[in-house]
Amino acid sequence: MKYNRIIVWFRNDLRVHDHASLSSSIEKGKEVVPVFCFDPRNFRELDLGISKSGSIRTKFLIESVDNLKKNLQKLGADLIIRIGKPEEKLIEMALELKADAIFFTEEVTEEEKKVENNLEKAAWGKGIETKSFWQSTLFHIEDLPFPINQIPEVFTQFRKECEKFSRVKKTIGLPTKINFPSESIDMGYIPKLSTFGLPDKPISSKSVLGFKGGEDEGKKRLLTYFWENDCLKSYKETRNGLLGADYSSKFSSWLSLGCISPRFVYEEVIRYEKGRKKNQSTYWLIFELIWRDYFRFICRKHGSKVFQIQGIKNNVDNWSKDKNLFFKWADGLTGIPFIDANMRELNQTGFMSNRGRQNVASFLVNDLGIDWRWGAAYFESMLIDYDVCSNWGNWMYIAGVGNDPRENRYFNILRQANAYDPKGEYIRHWIPEISQIPASDIHQPFELSTSDLNKLGIDLGKTYPHPIVEFKI
């Protein structure tokens, strides 16, 4: 069937390469109208008093939308921008432009599905067709070796079955031209942070990378990490680093908004393996993409359970809701340097290493006993690479209410700190007020005597907080 005019609703798929709904609309529609809606509900204030999407994360989104607009213009089209509820704005636009259909990428979690369902219902009532496409994972949902309701509850089983029986579909080629309507259309505008009541918050110059949103930036990062700096061959050995641009790929920020597709990354890994080197490190990057898939399929399987306090294990609710303790954690003022350094990096840059994330999450839920959903919500607000499935899946995992064969995913913070930051370089980078402390003591300044601290110009409780919990290695 050929449509006269198709609206392509962009969501977390802000790219023109490997784009199923865009490609299909070009093939099936005489004219294609790309649209992005900034949904005000995504910037609302949560009960904790924080924005659902904070300044740094929102800035990355705005940059990504702006880059998508430019890339569509290169193909002869443009991006119409609206601010409002997509299920309302898209219907208004479809009626105004006499569009036959709305194509979009399918999501899996509660809020996103509700918007999809409301859109489809409203569109059906107006005689407008809708079509959704699956394109957020490495393995297509149709190619899984099991139905969704039988997805294994243990990752290793999922990975092995997929590696054995599934294949990764080829990426969809880049369009050469998009037929965009010639009539005058209100294109809308790229909003500013102030549009959503958010302050302009520049990323700290201490950031491991100058993160900027967009498909072009995502591809540029891959080019740098794989081909120019040749880092992929040692990814497995360096991925638990804390400082520097290249200890890990940092692709997650662009993957989260679909600025690059996981299949595009996969094909580049295969090309690297053929042209440069194939080893455990090259496989490990694919392994991480499969983890990303796993969380998405688990969220599809379990629905709203992933946001409930008992998680998917139906554990008893015995979590504390101490806001004072929570915000000491969030603000990087726990008095435990390894925790505080990681939280300060997050607050000032919108990024934190994987090693850091596991430790700060374990500290919040295991050492402080705070409701794990508060931590997940804080990460949602702050992380530029926030991915709803990976974020909530990982938090459930650490909290012991998710997909983990082990009962207790506890991290000994001081042992981890000494293992991954033995010289205290990471601590000095983010907590300059205790940088004078020698490496042997920097992870536990609270164990130094008052006189030793005074000699270093540190007054515990004033210069740097007393620890909010007590523990030793």
Side-chain angles (χ1 to χ4, degrees):
M1 179 182 175
K2 197 79 173 173
Y3 300 93
N4 283 320
R5 193 171 276 178
I6 299 171
I7 286 175
V8 179
W9 171 32
F10 282 86
R11 306 175 80 188
N12 293 313
D13 51 359
L14 305 180
R15 62 179 184 271
V16 293
H17 76 272
D18 193 28
H19 202 290
S21 51
L22 179 62
S23 175
S24 183
S25 68
I26 294 167
E27 182 189 327
K28 295 180 179 176
K30 290 177 184 173
E31 291 181 331
V32 175
V33 185
V35 180
F36 183 85
C37 283
F38 285 91
D39 189 336
R41 292 168 294 196
N42 291 333
F43 309 97
R44 71 180 188 272
E45 188 173 291
L46 303 175
D47 292 341
L48 282 168
I50 57 174
S51 172
K52 186 171 168 63
S53 181
S55 295
I56 295 176
R57 181 183 159 208
T58 303
K59 182 171 180 283
F60 192 84
L61 169 64
I62 291 169
E63 291 166 350
S64 299
V65 171
D66 187 44
N67 186 239
L68 173 63
K69 186 176 177 72
K70 289 181 173 70
N71 285 341
L72 286 165
Q73 286 170 345
K74 289 174 190 172
L75 297 169
D78 208 332
L79 182 67
I80 298 173
I81 293 163
R82 293 290 181 265
I83 297 171
K85 295 177 180 178
E87 64 269 37
E88 295 173 0
K89 292 294 178 181
L90 289 161
I91 299 300
E92 286 173 16
M93 188 169 298
L95 294 171
E96 179 191 330
L97 298 177
K98 298 182 173 59
D100 310 286
I102 301 170
F103 286 10
F104 60 90
T105 299
E106 184 181 349
E107 290 286 344
V108 299
T109 42
E110 193 174 16
E111 290 176 359
E112 291 79 7
K113 292 307 289 184
K114 191 174 179 184
V115 172
E116 280 177 31
N117 294 337
N118 288 341
L119 173 72
E120 289 176 327
K121 194 188 220 175
W124 184 83
K126 300 290 184 183
I128 302 160
E129 283 195 41
T130 57
K131 187 168 173 57
S132 63
F133 296 80
W134 185 274
Q135 59 172 359
S136 53
T137 51
L138 186 63
F139 296 112
H140 196 283
I141 193 167
E142 292 170 357
D143 296 333
L144 293 180
F146 18 62
I148 288 294
N149 64 359
Q150 289 174 29
I151 296 281
E153 293 299 326
V154 176
F155 168 70
T156 304
Q157 188 185 342
F158 171 84
R159 174 182 61 80
K160 287 180 176 176
E161 295 280 310
C162 286
E163 287 175 340
K164 189 174 181 181
F165 298 110
S166 300
R167 63 183 180 85
V168 178
K169 290 183 189 294
K170 284 187 177 179
T171 53
I172 298 166
L174 194 68
T176 52
K177 189 176 188 317
I178 301 171
N179 290 327
F180 189 76
S182 56
E183 69 211 61
S184 176
I185 299 173
D186 174 11
M187 298 305 300
Y189 63 92
I190 300 280
K192 296 179 179 177
L193 289 171
S194 56
T195 310
F196 308 110
L198 295 169
D200 194 354
K201 190 176 176 184
I203 290 180
S204 167
S205 59
K206 292 181 175 184
S207 177
V208 291
L209 198 67
F211 292 100
K212 189 177 180 187
E215 179 175 14
D216 293 350
E217 290 291 328
K219 286 185 170 181
K220 185 174 155 190
R221 172 60 189 166
L222 189 146
L223 178 72
T224 302
Y225 186 77
F226 278 17
W227 303 104
E228 291 174 358
N229 295 350
D230 202 25
C231 298
L232 181 56
K233 67 177 186 291
S234 55
Y235 170 72
K236 191 170 188 285
E237 291 74 40
T238 64
R239 68 193 174 91
N240 279 314
L242 298 166
L243 283 170
D246 290 341
Y247 64 79
S248 66
S249 73
K250 314 290 191 299
F251 295 160
S252 56
S253 299
W254 294 280
L255 282 165
S256 67
L257 289 177
C259 300
I260 52 175
S261 89
R263 296 191 306 201
F264 171 75
V265 176
Y266 173 82
E267 287 182 1
E268 287 293 298
V269 172
I270 301 303
R271 192 160 76 88
Y272 183 94
E273 287 181 335
K274 287 176 181 173
R276 292 268 178 98
K277 180 121 183 136
K278 182 177 182 178
N279 61 12
Q280 270 201 316
S281 284
T282 58
Y283 166 71
W284 210 259
L285 199 129
I286 295 170
F287 176 90
E288 296 292 355
L289 289 173
I290 298 172
W291 252 118
R292 184 177 172 274
D293 271 20
Y294 182 58
F295 281 132
R296 189 156 293 260
F297 291 123
I298 281 293
C299 285
R300 175 67 180 258
K301 176 181 178 179
H302 289 288
S304 61
K305 276 188 173 184
V306 301
F307 304 107
Q308 293 165 9
I309 198 159
Q310 68 271 25
I312 63 176
K313 283 192 174 174
N314 296 318
N315 284 17
V316 179
D317 172 9
N318 57 355
W319 303 95
S320 163
K321 291 179 171 58
D322 186 326
K323 281 195 176 181
N324 179 47
L325 271 184
F326 173 77
F327 279 105
K328 283 183 177 174
W329 171 85
D331 295 336
L333 296 172
T334 68
I336 311 296
F338 195 56
I339 299 302
D340 293 343
N342 275 290
M343 294 307 294
R344 292 183 191 192
E345 179 179 13
L346 173 64
N347 293 336
Q348 293 176 42
T349 72
F351 182 80
M352 190 194 297
S353 69
N354 181 58
R355 180 57 44 183
R357 293 179 203 206
Q358 291 177 313
N359 275 276
V360 300
S362 174
F363 183 79
L364 184 74
V365 301
N366 293 316
D367 291 300
L368 300 183
I370 301 286
D371 185 339
W372 66 272
R373 297 172 306 165
W374 287 12
Y378 193 74
F379 272 27
E380 177 172 354
S381 178
M382 303 303 294
L383 284 171
I384 52 174
D385 66 355
Y386 171 74
D387 173 290
V388 58
C389 302
S390 295
N391 182 66
W392 289 82
N394 270 310
W395 273 94
M396 280 199 304
Y397 191 82
I398 294 290
V401 297
N403 303 89
D404 191 354
R406 282 168 49 179
E407 282 300 312
N408 185 15
R409 186 63 65 169
Y410 177 75
F411 286 75
N412 183 308
I413 304 303
L414 295 183
R415 197 174 293 155
Q416 290 269 315
N418 282 291
Y420 293 101
D421 188 29
K423 296 178 182 175
E425 294 168 350
Y426 181 69
I427 302 300
R428 290 188 181 86
H429 190 74
W430 290 107
I431 314 179
E433 62 266 36
I434 61 170
S435 60
Q436 317 87 301
I437 300 176
S440 56
D441 298 307
I442 199 163
H443 292 301
Q444 52 263 16
F446 41 85
E447 291 192 354
L448 289 172
S449 67
T450 303
S451 60
D452 284 344
L453 286 166
N454 287 342
K455 286 173 192 171
L456 297 168
I458 296 167
D459 183 352
L460 217 56
K462 290 184 180 176
T463 315
Y464 183 68
H466 287 289
I468 58 177
V469 294
E470 287 183 23
F471 50 64
K472 295 180 183 289
I473 296 177

